[in-house]
Amino acid sequence: MLGLIGLGLTALLVRPDPLGAAENQPLILALGDSLTAGYGLPEGEGLVPQLEAALEAAGRPAQVENAGVSGDTTAGGRARLDWALGGLPRQPDLVIVALGANDALRGIAPDEAKANLDAILDTLGRKGLPVLLVGMLAPTNWGPDYRKAFDAIYPALARAHDVPLDPFILEGVALEPSLVQPDGLHPNAAGVKKMAARLAPVVIDALDARKVPNVRD
C-alpha cells in the first residue's frame, strides 16, 4: 500500500543552476506522495525528472521541483505546503497538487480528504499561484459508497475553484503488470514514463491557462 510502504520523507530539492538557464523556464512545484516522489526508482527515473524530459521533448522546457513525500496524505500535504513553497528559489508558475492516494488506501473519510484539498487550494489561491489538480480513484475494497464519494472529490473541487483537472494520475498504468513494481501499486520506470508523457500536454495547458484557484473561505 502507498500509505504503508516507504514512509521516509523525500526532501524538497532545489537544484543549483550555475548557468542560470532555469531562470528563463517556468518553475513548477509538484506537491504529492510516493507517486510524485519516485518511490522505489533510481534517481532520474521518477515522475519529476521524467516529466521534465517529456516537457523538454514537447518544446516546453520547465524546472519541476519535487515536493513528493512517500506515505503522505492530504493532511500531510496541507501541513507542509508553506514549507514546500518556502524552499523554492522564487514563486512557482504552477503548482501540481497530486494528493489523495494514501487517503483512499487507508479508508480516510472522503469529506476529510476533500476538506484538506479544499484548504490547499484556498491557500494557493490566496497566494495567487496557478494550480493543476491531479486526481485519484479509490480502490474497490471499501465498497461502492466510499468509492463514489471519494471519486467525486476532485471534479467537485476543480469546479468550485475553477482550476484544471487531470482526473486520474495513474490512467493507463494502474493494474498493468508490466508498468508497476512488484508491490502491484507503484509504477516502475516504464510506467512513470507513460504517466509523464500523458501528463506533459496537460501541464502545458495548465501553464498556458494560469488558473489561480477561487478562494472560498
Side-chain angles (χ1 to χ4, degrees), residues 110-206:
D111 285 348
E112 182 179 336
K114 183 178 181 180
N116 289 324
L117 289 168
D118 194 28
I120 289 171
L121 295 173
D122 274 337
T123 296
L124 294 171
R126 286 193 296 270
K127 294 178 181 292
L129 299 177
V131 166
L132 168 63
L133 180 61
V134 178
M136 175 54 61
L137 300 178
T140 59
N141 56 295
W142 299 115
D145 290 342
Y146 181 93
R147 187 170 190 180
K148 180 179 180 181
F150 187 91
D151 293 355
I153 290 172
Y154 299 90
L157 288 175
R159 289 192 299 268
H161 289 275
D162 191 24
V163 294
L165 170 68
D166 181 75
F168 185 36
I169 190 172
L170 291 171
E171 180 68 39
V173 174
L175 304 179
E176 292 290 337
S178 64
L179 298 177
V180 296
Q181 298 180 41
D183 62 19
L185 293 170
H186 294 89
N188 58 26
V192 173
K193 184 175 183 180
K194 184 171 183 177
M195 290 167 62
R198 189 189 63 78
L199 280 171
V202 181
V203 171
I204 290 170
D205 287 346

Side-chain angles (χ1 to χ4, degrees), residues 23-153:
E23 292 181 2
N24 297 319
Q25 297 176 359
L27 176 61
I28 301 171
L29 180 70
L31 181 73
D33 47 38
S34 57
L35 297 175
T36 306
Y39 172 82
L41 297 173
E43 185 176 355
E45 293 187 356
L47 181 59
V48 165
Q50 293 217 51
L51 180 57
E52 282 192 339
L55 291 170
E56 178 80 30
R60 292 291 297 272
Q63 181 182 0
V64 186
E65 294 296 341
N66 192 348
V69 172
S70 294
D72 216 1
T73 61
T74 56
R78 178 181 180 179
R80 63 185 173 86
L81 176 58
D82 286 337
W83 173 85
L85 291 168
L88 297 175
R90 56 185 171 86
Q91 183 163 288
D93 299 284
L94 182 70
V95 179
I96 300 174
V97 178
L99 288 159
N102 291 306
D103 298 67
L105 288 170
R106 296 177 184 182
I108 291 172
D111 285 348
E112 182 179 336
K114 183 178 181 180
N116 289 324
L117 289 168
D118 194 28
I120 289 171
L121 295 173
D122 274 337
T123 296
L124 294 171
R126 286 193 296 270
K127 294 178 181 292
L129 299 177
V131 166
L132 168 63
L133 180 61
V134 178
M136 175 54 61
L137 300 178
T140 59
N141 56 295
W142 299 115
D145 290 342
Y146 181 93
R147 187 170 190 180
K148 180 179 180 181
F150 187 91
D151 293 355
I153 290 172

